[in-house]
Amino acid sequence: MSDSLNNEDRVEDDAVIGRAFMGSAIVFVLIGLIAGVSYFVLTRKPTAEIAKAAPVEPPAVREMPKVIVPTIAWVDITDSAGLSFTHCSGAKGKKLLPETMGSGCVFFDFDGDGDQDILLVNACDWPGEHDPAKPVGTLALYANDGVGAFKDVTKDTGLDVTLYGMGAACGDYDNDGKVDLFISCLGRSRLYHNEGGKFVDVTDQAGVGGVEKDWSTSCGWFDCDQDGDLDLLVCHYVDWTREFDLAQEFRLVGGNERAYGRPQNFGGTFPSLFRNEGNGKFSDVSAESGFHVINPATSVPLGKSLGIVFEDLDGDSKLDCVISNDTVQNFLFHNLGNGKFEEIGAMAGVAFDAAGAARGAMGIDAAAFRNDASVGVAIGNFANEMSALYVSRSRNLQFYDAAVANGFGPATRLELTFGVLFLDMDLDGRLDIFQANGHLEDDIAKVQASQHYEQPPQLFWNAGSQYNTEFIKCREQETGSAFQKPMVGRGSSYADIDGDGDLDLLIMGCGQKPRLLRNDQKLNNHWSRVKLAGKGKNRDAIGALVELRIGDVAQYRRVSPTRSYLSQVELPVTFGLGMSDSIDRIVVTWPNGQQQTIQKPAVDRMLVIEQAE
């Protein structure tokens, strides 16, 4: 009985459990449905409301003023003007490095008659290799007749001397009113004192000749210590000997014949600074002045210097110096005062290219090419290396290379550039850039199809800083065919040789005739030329700054003729005025810091400004 009761109880318990299980299942199902519905509601994407697209307005086209490069006819007057000179490099097939470097040229007024005469520096044959049937190469001096015709006065002036000349620097170092002449050489250099139309060698008395192992290049006069007189800075290239050069197995890549050597195979050098002692004698103060720059890795001289320019780069009224070096970093010697300099090229940003590499730097110039507080340093470099245009916006000794950004660099990549100059070729008030080009190897085209021994000069028109392409390369249709004719260009200079207000060009050829190009522009732009007459020890006011103002626009020119490559330009400075027929004022800051203002000077003429007492 009790067993029956137990079975009934178990059945009833199972029924209760079953009902409970069913209820739980229903609850779970309901919870799952609620959760699923909630998930769907919470996660479903709202139905997109497709709206009709509104029409898109095209961006407004930025209108820029149309750029029209001016047409300037450059006329080759080398022969008609009387320049019968041909440069001698000494090349006879041995491929000695000095043969490739060429020589410089100078515009200066040697006879004080007011016009610009020409000095052409020459090298010579190597000892024992001169052909007696040919004339011996010498320096060449040509006197200007005032309208651009020249007479050879080399022998009459005592400059018919034979030397392996490189560059030249003209300056009245003894302040007697007659400009003297320094010639840098392979071997001992020479200083010639101007004694009234006759040049006398005073090298030994002055103490600036250096030694026979020197290879001197660009050189220039400036007042290094602000004592009023002119001191002399001389660059040197590499530590070279004929024996070491011939012992090297130099070959062009892909060629079998001997080639000219690379500067990397030769040791470096120091520049030489000669301080003027005021009695016709100079002291070599290179080391104590800070010009002995040592390679920190090798403890040997670092420089391999080819170009030099003087400019006040930080606005402290003291001239600094930038030196272009071949395959090693460029130098910037910051003038600390009292004849002391500090080399800061790397810190200032002018030592290397944008990738931190040294380039094969040759010629150099510096100018306020934007007519504002900024200053630019242009440097010509080796083939397949763009020319540099280092710019400091506020004269704070911090530069960046703007050559790519402003259009100058890319058009210079293929050329091997020596002479570099800022000049206002069209008198529009903006400084343009000139380059003299030419390779080192006469057979370079055999191994590099893109290269040629003779290369055309280049002229870059300054369109203004409002354009992305600030400098535009001039084509033959703008310069004429005479300008574009290829040559082995080296030194270069400019002057107004015919008194018409615009600047003419002189280009030295290596082993060739030079090229004298007369500027025949007919753009009707006005101009002003300024010649300074200083007081005290520096009659030519070398180092002075001339500022010309028309309204809010200011132009600046430094009286410092040492520029380009192995060369020197004329002392007067030229301003293009464009269509303006009046000048508000000209302000001269003399080398001693004195300022002098000329109000409303006349245009289209040479203005001689004498320093006030």
Side-chain angles (χ1 to χ4, degrees):
M1 178 110 188
S2 53
D3 288 341
S4 299
L5 292 172
N6 288 340
N7 288 336
E8 290 174 359
D9 290 340
R10 281 197 291 271
V11 172
E12 185 174 345
D13 290 342
D14 291 340
V16 172
I17 293 171
R19 288 193 298 271
F21 180 81
M22 288 293 294
S24 297
I26 292 171
V27 171
F28 282 120
V29 170
L30 290 174
I31 292 172
L33 288 173
I34 294 171
V37 170
S38 299
Y39 179 82
F40 175 78
V41 171
L42 292 173
T43 60
R44 68 171 181 162
K45 294 182 179 180
T47 303
E49 182 178 344
I50 301 175
K52 187 177 181 180
V56 178
E57 293 291 333
V61 177
R62 184 181 179 188
E63 294 290 338
M64 291 292 290
K66 186 176 181 181
V67 179
I68 301 176
V69 180
T71 298
I72 297 179
W74 296 90
V75 180
D76 187 342
I77 61 168
T78 310
D79 294 331
S80 61
L83 301 188
S84 57
F85 175 89
T86 298
H87 178 261
C88 174
S89 68
K92 295 288 194 298
K94 290 186 173 63
K95 297 282 181 118
L96 298 172
L97 183 57
E99 300 166 359
T100 69
M101 304 310 291
S103 301
C105 54
V106 167
F107 279 115
F108 75 130
D109 184 6
F110 89 92
D111 50 8
D113 63 356
D115 52 39
Q116 299 302 310
D117 310 302
I118 291 175
L119 174 77
L120 303 175
V121 182
N122 206 357
C124 62
D125 291 318
W126 298 106
E129 296 185 2
H130 176 67
D131 183 351
K134 296 181 180 180
V136 177
T138 70
L139 301 173
L141 181 62
Y142 291 88
N144 191 342
D145 68 355
V147 292
F150 294 85
K151 177 184 178 182
D152 189 339
V153 295
T154 308
K155 188 173 183 179
D156 297 338
T157 56
L159 291 179
D160 53 337
V161 292
T162 298
L163 37 71
Y164 208 100
M166 298 295 297
C170 305
D172 183 6
Y173 71 86
D174 58 350
N175 206 42
D176 65 354
K178 298 180 289 291
V179 62
D180 308 301
L181 177 62
F182 179 82
I183 304 293
S184 63
C185 299
L186 177 68
R188 294 188 74 242
S189 297
R190 311 288 177 84
L191 178 62
Y192 294 97
H193 184 247
N194 187 342
E195 300 189 353
K198 194 83 171 180
F199 288 90
V200 177
D201 189 336
V202 295
T203 309
D204 292 337
Q205 301 95 299
V208 295
V211 295
E212 285 297 335
K213 73 180 185 64
D214 286 342
W215 182 350
S216 302
T217 54
S218 289
C219 45
W221 299 96
F222 78 125
D223 185 1
C224 77
D225 49 9
Q226 295 182 292
D227 65 351
D229 55 24
L230 294 178
D231 310 296
L232 178 66
L233 183 61
V234 182
C235 293
H236 299 115
Y237 189 32
V238 295
D239 184 7
W240 181 87
T241 66
R242 177 188 178 99
E243 294 74 23
F244 181 83
D245 196 334
L246 288 173
Q248 308 308 303
E249 294 294 327
F250 296 124
R251 298 284 186 273
L252 287 175
V253 176
N256 295 318
E257 297 180 355
R258 176 174 166 83
Y260 285 109
R262 308 180 312 154
Q264 293 96 323
N265 291 72
F266 299 89
T269 61
F270 297 133
S272 294
L273 178 61
F274 296 99
R275 185 179 63 209
N276 190 340
E277 301 298 349
N279 55 1
K281 299 182 183 301
F282 293 78
S283 298
D284 188 338
V285 295
S286 313
E288 56 264 45
S289 295
F291 282 89
H292 280 193
V293 182
I294 298 289
N295 186 327
T298 59
S299 299
V300 299
L302 178 59
K304 298 179 180 181
S305 304
L306 290 175
I308 181 175
V309 67
F310 303 106
E311 180 57 56
D312 179 7
L313 298 173
D314 56 351
D316 65 354
S317 301
K318 297 186 288 290
L319 288 181
D320 309 299
C321 171
V322 187
I323 292 179
S324 52
N325 285 312
D326 190 2
T327 70
V328 297
Q329 66 190 67
N330 301 317
F331 295 149
L332 192 166
F333 289 99
H334 180 217
N335 193 333
L336 303 177
N338 299 319
K340 305 296 183 183
F341 293 78
E342 180 185 15
E343 199 292 297
I344 60 168
M347 290 188 295
V350 302
F352 305 104
D353 65 11
R359 291 182 277 200
M362 265 73 80
I364 187 171
D365 199 1
F369 69 95
R370 287 177 176 162
N371 296 338
D372 58 18
S374 63
V375 61
V377 177
I379 299 178
N381 292 312
F382 201 77
N384 300 313
E385 298 175 341
M386 290 184 293
S387 294
L389 182 52
Y390 299 106
V391 178
S392 174
R393 289 192 177 96
S394 56
R395 293 189 183 252
N396 58 0
L397 295 177
Q398 292 298 310
F399 290 81
Y400 69 99
D401 192 347
V404 173
N406 66 18
F408 172 56
T412 68
R413 184 181 294 277
L414 289 180
E415 283 70 23
L416 199 164
T417 299
F418 280 86
V420 177
L421 290 166
F422 284 106
L423 75 160
D424 186 354
M425 66 171 184
D426 57 342
L427 302 175
D428 66 350
R430 296 186 299 272
L431 288 170
D432 314 297
I433 301 177
F434 166 81
Q435 295 200 149
N437 306 315
H439 212 280
L440 306 179
E441 292 283 351
D442 53 6
D443 54 358
I444 188 64
K446 295 179 181 178
V447 295
Q448 292 186 41
S450 65
Q451 290 297 315
H452 302 279
Y453 184 47
E454 294 186 330
Q455 299 177 358
Q458 291 175 302
L459 198 54
F460 293 85
W461 180 64
N462 187 340
S465 57
Q466 71 271 28
Y467 293 99
N468 290 331
T469 304
E470 192 169 0
F471 285 96
I472 301 173
K473 180 184 173 184
C474 297
R475 301 162 296 177
E476 183 173 331
Q477 65 195 61
E478 285 120 15
T479 64
S481 58
F483 181 92
Q484 299 286 344
K485 185 179 179 181
M487 65 182 297
V488 188
R490 294 295 186 261
S492 57
S493 183
Y494 62 71
D496 177 10
I497 63 172
D498 49 8
D500 64 354
D502 55 32
L503 293 173
D504 310 293
L505 282 166
L506 177 62
I507 313 170
M508 283 291 287
C510 183
Q512 300 178 332
K513 290 177 66 66
R515 184 176 302 168
L516 181 60
L517 295 168
R518 189 181 64 213
N519 185 342
D520 278 2
Q521 59 87 21
K522 305 294 183 184
L523 299 171
N524 297 317
N525 287 328
H526 296 286
W527 51 272
S528 176
R529 285 170 51 78
V530 177
K531 174 70 169 65
L532 299 184
K535 302 291 186 183
K537 300 179 183 179
N538 185 0
R539 295 192 187 196
D540 290 327
I542 290 178
L545 181 67
V546 184
E547 174 186 351
L548 182 146
R549 282 198 171 267
I550 301 175
D552 295 331
V553 177
Q555 297 184 51
Y556 303 90
R557 302 287 186 271
R558 180 74 60 186
V559 180
S560 183
T562 302
R563 302 175 186 275
S564 187
Y565 170 75
L566 307 176
S567 301
Q568 180 171 304
V569 303
E570 63 173 353
L571 269 176
V573 295
T574 296
F575 295 92
L577 308 180
M579 300 309 295
S580 178
D581 59 1
S582 65
I583 301 169
D584 290 340
R585 63 186 180 277
I586 291 177
V587 181
V588 178
T589 302
W590 297 92
N592 65 358
Q594 175 190 354
Q595 284 199 333
Q596 186 173 343
T597 301
I598 310 297
Q599 300 285 356
K600 299 290 184 180
V603 304
D604 298 336
R605 64 192 63 191
M606 173 76 82
L607 178 65
V608 178
I609 301 178
E610 296 184 359
Q611 186 174 6
E613 297 292 345

